[in-house]
Amino acid sequence: LSGEREEDAEADLRVNAGATEVQLHFSGATSKKRKVEREDLEAFETAYNAACGCIARDELGQAEMLLKRAEALAGELSESERDAEIGPIRAQRVYVLLRLGKKEEAEALAKEVKTEALEDETSIHGASVNGMLATRKGEGNAFLEERMLGKGIGEDGTGKPFGFQKGVLDENRFALDLGMMKFGGLRTSTRSVLGKQEAPTLDRKTNSLAVINAAAHAKSQSGKEALKHILPLLEKRPHDVGLLLTIVQLYVLTGNAPSAINLVEKFTDRLEQSGSSADDIRFAPGFVGVTTALYNSQNRRDPARAAFARAAEYWRTKGSQQSAGVTDLLKAAGSSLLDSEEPDHQKLAQAIFADLHKADPTDRYATAGLLASGSTDADESYLTPLPRLLTSIDAAALESAGIASLPRPVAQSTKRPAPTAAPAATKPHKKPRPGKLPKDYDPAKTPDPERWLPLKDRSTYRPPKGKKGKGRRDMLAQGAVGGDEMDWADLVTLDLSHFDAPGGKQRLANQLRDAVHNVGFFYITNFGLTQSQIDRQFGIAKELFALLTEEKLRHRADLEHGHYSGYRPLGSIELFPGLRDNVEMYNVFKYLPELSRSHPQLILDHREEIETFQRHIAEDTVQKLLTLIAIVLELPEHALTKGHKYDDVSDCHLRYMIYHARIPEENAKYDNLYSRGHTDFGSLTLLFRQPIAALQVLMPDGQWKWVKPLPGSITVNIADVLDFWTAGYLKSSIHRVVAPPEDQAHLDRVGVLYFLRPAHDLRLKALESPVLERLGLRQKEGMEGIKAGDWVRARVKGNLDRAVEGGAKEKEVIKGVKVKYYD
């Protein structure tokens, strides 16, 4: 055709080629993404084709501009031709305006579309649908809309729709059926079609049917109610991509991104096990985009980069001729990997941008990425010259102004400004305006600083006296203590008020000896903090976890690199394959310059009392406990306090945490476990009383027993570092958290804890103790060269490992040293 051109043949060829390319885009076939060129703007046909191409690529803003251009050019035609050509253009503009959220413009334009002037049945039907949606009020009336749309479009004749158009029209019909609550028929019809399709597949029609089928099962409900009906379908159709993405979206809408991540990870594992035949799906741009977006929503940058790296390596083996979607994926992967600290990721990013730049030297994104990767091979001629970018910048003024700082927000006053002249007399109100302040408001009195707390969490609250009052006091924060019929552990209680009495330290050490050697758990009382101070911390914890997830995620801990300071989101740990934990926590490290980080405003507002609380535990309570343990080991009293001072750089922290209650059916899936049996990472752990029975300790006889939350006490347990320093003489206690008894199982379990950890540079070398010498206890192999900070980091990172079938009972942490887990 191009070799034998007649008059206007070149223009006709451009129009037909443009239309073909648009159909390729809409049908999902590979078609290179291209820029809109000057020639596209010269005729209404080419402008219209270019606009449709933008719609296919979801570039709606540019599509609207091109459709306006097409309409203006068509306006130059004769009156009869103009009506025939402008109709489809306006109908398409109505669709674009609706997608852009410009409903008022769409409604006004829809009234100008003359459907009777349109030539084919598909255009008439499409214009009717768009017009109906533009004028729809609220959610519309499905029964009325079905009547308005009539029987649809015939399958024969020249006016029948293209395949991609028919798919959209079928989806409209399904949406109407859902609106008319024809759930049973939709379930049956879509199930029969889905049963004949191969899975997994990227076919748009098949996956759209899966979404419709899920909506029919959920009876058009959303949120948790929908998940209840749809999740069982995934067990029957584990390779259904459309169904998977529907469930992922529902999880995201309910604020449960960790479950969505877990679902995607399991699906990815199944694809990987299917072999290379499923790799095109596993590394499909859309699927990788969903996976990385979920990781990034939880600030899990490392898994997101790993997913990008695997996908990029796969598509780079497929040659340079890539679809527009793959090209976009490679650009996103290169950009993400450039931010990584891993040398392999940096190298891969440079290779990605080098490939993209070679394939299209005019692509400015690829060129900029190649330059950012440190390469000198980029052709910079297509980039905006640096002097032009800096034209409007006055460097001298910036230097003289110094470092900019954001202005502090000033509360806007609701008071009217004082008048400059005497105001005109106003008529008195017939009724006095109601006051906004309390009736007993006294401006001379200072407002209650605890007014933000629930009534029962305020220091001034006093429950009624007597038996009923005692019962209510036990119910204060989180529920009642379990009954005496439970199998409680028999643990020793140390009264620290005797610490400074003559001979008091030795008596307390004698009382402590068996507990730290055989169980690793004990209680302390009279530790120098009032119940009011403790209740305040529980109040802060409740307010903290009531914050929006987005706010908490801004302060997420860098868990992937072993750092615990900040927020650990719900579901960060996989307890069993496919089952993630139900705990959130927020760790406030010591207020030292070396450990500073961002915090929510709530934490900043209460820094003084949090630091006071921390310092008392660090500088008083744990110092006494370390002294008693040193006496048990027959060491000088201050032998263990080195590296355990408040000013030592370590991972000591105050932790706020909450175990979210599960329904009985969920607890059964987890074998009633909230947290598997484990040991703690540091030196000591102090748990402030929480009157919900859930903590259990593994006793010397191998039996799990409940740890009773004694009133006025702190529960203390020995952790790994003291175990290493004493070659196992001090027992790092094995403990777990289980679902509370039936009468408390519906309650969330809020906790306040303090974790004592040694200075980072202290080595885990066994102490020279007469007790250890007499018992012949020696350094555990491999421990001597390990630093305490490295041990803690490795334990934190290990928590993020995926669970395996059967439950790993032992796992290497660092340099061959292993830890055990217990069910």
Side-chain angles (χ1 to χ4, degrees):
L1 288 174
S2 60
E4 300 178 5
R5 301 177 184 173
E6 298 179 3
E7 186 178 356
D8 294 331
E10 185 172 351
D12 290 342
L13 187 60
R14 171 177 282 276
V15 171
N16 292 333
T20 302
E21 184 175 354
V22 170
Q23 290 190 44
L24 287 173
H25 271 298
F26 273 117
S27 62
T30 301
S31 178
K32 184 179 179 182
K33 180 177 178 180
R34 69 175 182 86
K35 302 180 181 69
V36 176
E37 300 173 355
R38 181 181 298 275
E39 290 83 353
D40 293 323
L41 305 178
E42 294 177 352
F44 77 89
E45 298 99 326
T46 53
Y48 181 73
N49 284 339
C52 292
C54 289
I55 294 171
R57 298 190 296 271
D58 222 26
E59 299 168 355
L60 299 176
Q62 191 169 33
E64 184 188 7
M65 181 274 292
L66 288 166
L67 287 170
K68 286 182 178 179
R69 174 66 177 169
E71 184 175 344
L73 291 170
E76 300 172 1
L77 300 173
S78 65
E79 185 175 351
S80 59
E81 291 178 321
R82 183 169 61 245
D83 290 341
E85 300 295 352
I86 285 181
I89 296 173
R90 286 179 173 174
Q92 195 74 287
R93 272 192 67 201
V94 172
Y95 169 79
V96 171
L97 290 170
L98 286 170
R99 289 282 308 278
L100 290 171
K102 300 178 180 180
K103 194 171 187 302
E104 291 183 2
E105 289 184 49
E107 184 175 357
L109 185 61
K111 295 175 182 177
E112 299 178 16
V113 177
K114 300 176 182 178
T115 55
E116 66 274 9
L118 301 177
E119 296 179 349
D120 63 273
E121 198 175 351
T122 299
S123 297
I124 293 171
H125 187 82
S128 299
V129 172
N130 292 341
M132 182 190 71
L133 293 174
T135 56
R136 171 193 268 181
K137 305 300 181 185
E139 296 183 0
N141 184 320
F143 297 95
L144 181 61
E145 289 170 357
E146 189 211 23
R147 187 178 303 171
M148 290 171 61
L149 293 178
K151 62 183 179 63
I153 305 172
E155 292 296 316
D156 54 0
T158 58
K160 70 177 183 179
F162 292 108
F164 64 86
Q165 290 176 313
K166 185 179 183 302
V168 175
L169 294 173
D170 287 343
E171 289 171 8
N172 286 345
R173 176 63 58 186
F174 290 139
L176 285 174
D177 287 344
L178 287 171
M180 293 184 291
M181 295 180 285
K182 297 180 179 179
F183 303 128
L186 271 179
R187 286 197 296 265
T188 303
S189 60
T190 53
R191 182 174 63 242
S192 64
V193 176
L194 290 170
K196 299 173 184 176
Q197 306 302 316
E198 291 186 2
T201 179
L202 294 177
D203 179 66
R204 183 186 183 282
K205 181 178 179 181
T206 302
N207 289 323
S208 295
L209 279 178
V211 176
I212 297 296
N213 180 265
H217 275 87
K219 297 182 178 179
S220 292
Q221 298 178 98
S222 60
K224 294 182 179 179
E225 280 301 313
L227 286 168
K228 188 187 301 183
H229 295 287
I230 299 174
L231 279 172
L233 296 179
L234 196 60
E235 297 179 7
K236 300 176 183 178
R237 292 159 27 209
H239 299 293
D240 191 324
V241 175
L243 179 60
L244 171 89
L245 294 178
T246 302
I247 297 173
V248 166
Q249 179 70 0
L250 287 170
Y251 273 135
V252 171
L253 291 174
T254 55
N256 193 356
S259 291
I261 291 172
N262 175 57
L263 200 67
V264 170
E265 287 176 342
K266 289 174 67 177
F267 188 79
T268 304
D269 289 345
R270 289 197 294 272
L271 292 178
E272 189 173 6
Q273 292 164 9
S274 299
S276 59
S277 60
D279 281 351
D280 276 1
I281 298 169
R282 179 184 168 202
F283 298 118
F287 189 70
V288 175
V290 168
T291 304
T292 53
L294 286 170
Y295 281 133
N296 287 329
S297 73
Q298 302 297 295
N299 278 348
R300 297 178 63 183
R301 306 299 182 197
D302 285 352
R305 292 187 188 113
F308 271 133
R310 288 191 294 269
E313 287 171 345
Y314 172 76
W315 288 113
R316 289 187 68 229
T317 64
K318 296 294 182 177
S320 58
Q321 294 298 320
Q322 305 287 6
S323 69
V326 172
T327 299
D328 288 340
L329 168 63
L330 291 172
K331 289 179 179 179
S335 178
S336 176
L337 296 173
L338 277 179
D339 291 334
S340 174
E341 298 176 358
E342 299 290 335
D344 289 344
H345 284 175
Q346 295 276 348
K347 185 177 179 181
L348 178 57
Q350 186 176 84
I352 289 170
F353 283 120
D355 291 345
L356 294 171
H357 182 66
K358 183 178 179 182
D360 184 5
T362 66
D363 189 328
R364 294 193 295 175
Y365 194 100
T367 303
L370 189 57
L371 285 172
S373 70
S375 173
T376 58
D377 298 332
D379 180 1
E380 302 178 37
S381 60
Y382 290 98
L383 294 179
T384 304
L386 192 60
R388 188 184 303 172
L389 292 174
L390 300 177
T391 299
S392 61
I393 298 176
D394 188 342
L398 287 175
E399 288 180 359
S400 63
I403 299 174
S405 60
L406 294 174
R408 298 185 64 179
V410 179
Q412 296 295 322
S413 174
T414 57
K415 297 180 180 179
R416 288 173 292 181
T420 56
T426 57
K427 294 181 180 180
H429 291 281
K430 292 182 179 179
K431 294 182 179 180
R433 293 177 179 176
K436 294 183 178 180
L437 295 171
K439 292 181 179 179
D440 59 350
Y441 175 71
D442 183 354
K445 291 184 179 180
T446 304
D448 181 6
E450 296 183 352
R451 60 189 181 279
W452 61 277
L453 284 171
L455 181 63
K456 290 184 179 180
D457 288 334
R458 300 181 189 178
S459 59
T460 54
Y461 175 74
R462 294 293 181 270
K465 297 181 179 180
K467 291 184 178 180
K468 289 185 179 180
K470 182 178 184 298
R472 287 179 63 187
R473 185 167 61 249
D474 285 342
M475 291 289 290
L476 263 184
Q478 304 137 70
V481 180
D484 292 332
E485 70 278 3
M486 298 179 67
D487 191 9
W488 300 111
D490 185 14
L491 303 178
V492 68
T493 301
L494 302 184
D495 184 349
L496 294 186
S497 65
H498 301 308
F499 184 85
D500 293 318
K505 296 176 189 175
Q506 188 61 55
R507 288 194 298 274
L508 290 171
N510 293 340
Q511 191 180 2
L512 183 63
R513 183 173 286 105
D514 180 71
V516 295
H517 178 51
N518 291 313
V519 183
F521 255 85
F522 56 95
Y523 301 113
I524 59 172
T525 58
N526 294 314
F527 39 81
L529 291 169
T530 66
Q531 189 59 46
S532 172
Q533 289 175 295
I534 297 169
D535 289 344
R536 288 279 295 175
Q537 296 303 313
F538 275 99
I540 291 172
K542 292 177 185 177
E543 291 291 313
L544 179 62
F545 293 119
L547 295 176
L548 293 174
T549 301
E550 292 79 1
E551 169 62 17
K552 291 179 286 190
L553 285 173
R554 292 191 188 99
H555 312 282
R556 183 184 183 274
D558 187 7
L559 304 171
E560 290 76 12
H561 291 92
H563 299 282
Y564 242 3
S565 178
Y567 176 60
R568 196 188 93 179
L570 180 70
S572 294
I573 294 179
E574 192 175 45
L575 297 180
F576 302 101
L579 299 174
R580 292 195 168 268
D581 65 8
N582 59 333
V583 65
E584 288 182 87
M585 62 178 66
Y586 195 94
N587 301 318
V588 182
F589 276 37
K590 294 181 291 187
Y591 286 99
L592 302 178
E594 300 89 340
L595 303 174
S596 62
R597 66 151 299 135
S598 66
H599 289 295
Q601 189 61 43
L602 176 70
I603 299 297
L604 300 179
D605 289 344
H606 297 280
R607 168 179 170 161
E608 184 177 348
E609 63 180 304
I610 292 172
E611 183 175 4
T612 299
F613 194 83
Q614 275 188 340
R615 280 189 176 275
H616 178 83
I617 302 168
E619 297 175 346
D620 183 90
T621 307
V622 299
Q623 299 301 316
K624 291 177 178 177
L625 294 177
L626 292 172
T627 297
L628 297 178
I629 293 171
I631 295 172
V632 169
L633 296 171
E634 299 177 14
L635 294 172
E637 289 187 0
H638 299 294
L640 298 179
T641 58
K642 179 184 178 182
H644 284 117
K645 300 293 187 183
Y646 189 89
D647 292 332
D648 292 327
V649 177
S650 68
D651 279 15
C652 295
H653 61 272
L654 183 69
R655 174 176 298 174
Y656 304 110
M657 68 189 305
I658 181 170
Y659 285 97
H660 293 278
R662 301 194 194 105
I663 60 175
E665 292 79 7
E666 285 184 315
N667 280 331
K669 292 180 183 178
Y670 286 80
D671 291 336
N672 271 0
L673 283 177
Y674 277 9
S675 175
R676 294 179 66 190
H678 63 280
T679 59
D680 287 344
F681 312 163
S683 303
L684 292 171
T685 303
L686 288 78
L687 169 67
F688 289 85
R689 178 179 181 265
Q690 21 181 201
I692 288 184
L695 179 62
Q696 292 185 336
V697 59
L698 188 63
M699 301 299 286
D701 61 2
Q703 299 297 312
W704 290 103
K705 294 197 174 184
W706 297 88
V707 178
K708 191 169 188 176
L710 295 180
S713 74
I714 296 176
T715 305
V716 183
N717 65 271
I718 303 295
D720 290 346
V721 171
L722 290 182
D723 187 302
F724 296 147
W725 278 349
T726 60
Y729 177 78
L730 297 178
K731 182 173 182 178
S732 186
S733 66
I734 301 163
H735 53 284
R736 67 182 184 183
V737 182
V738 298
E742 186 176 353
D743 61 331
Q744 301 177 356
H746 63 288
L747 299 171
D748 292 336
R749 185 172 182 264
V750 179
V752 176
L753 305 90
Y754 187 83
F755 288 84
L756 177 69
R757 292 177 177 169
H760 290 162
D761 58 354
L762 288 184
R763 296 191 177 275
L764 303 182
K765 180 181 179 181
L767 301 168
E768 295 181 3
S769 159
V771 175
L772 306 185
E773 188 68 29
R774 285 197 302 272
L775 295 174
L777 295 176
R778 297 288 183 268
Q779 175 80 51
K780 290 184 179 180
E781 187 176 351
M783 296 302 306
E784 187 169 342
I786 300 175
K787 292 183 179 180
D790 295 335
W791 172 258
V792 171
R793 295 275 185 274
R795 288 285 316 256
V796 173
K797 290 170 65 176
N799 272 347
L800 301 180
D801 292 345
R802 300 280 300 278
V804 297
E805 293 292 343
K809 303 299 182 183
E810 192 172 59
K811 181 169 62 177
E812 181 177 343
V813 177
I814 187 173
K815 296 183 179 180
V817 180
K818 299 179 179 180
V819 294
K820 293 182 178 181
Y821 292 89
Y822 305 79
D823 293 333

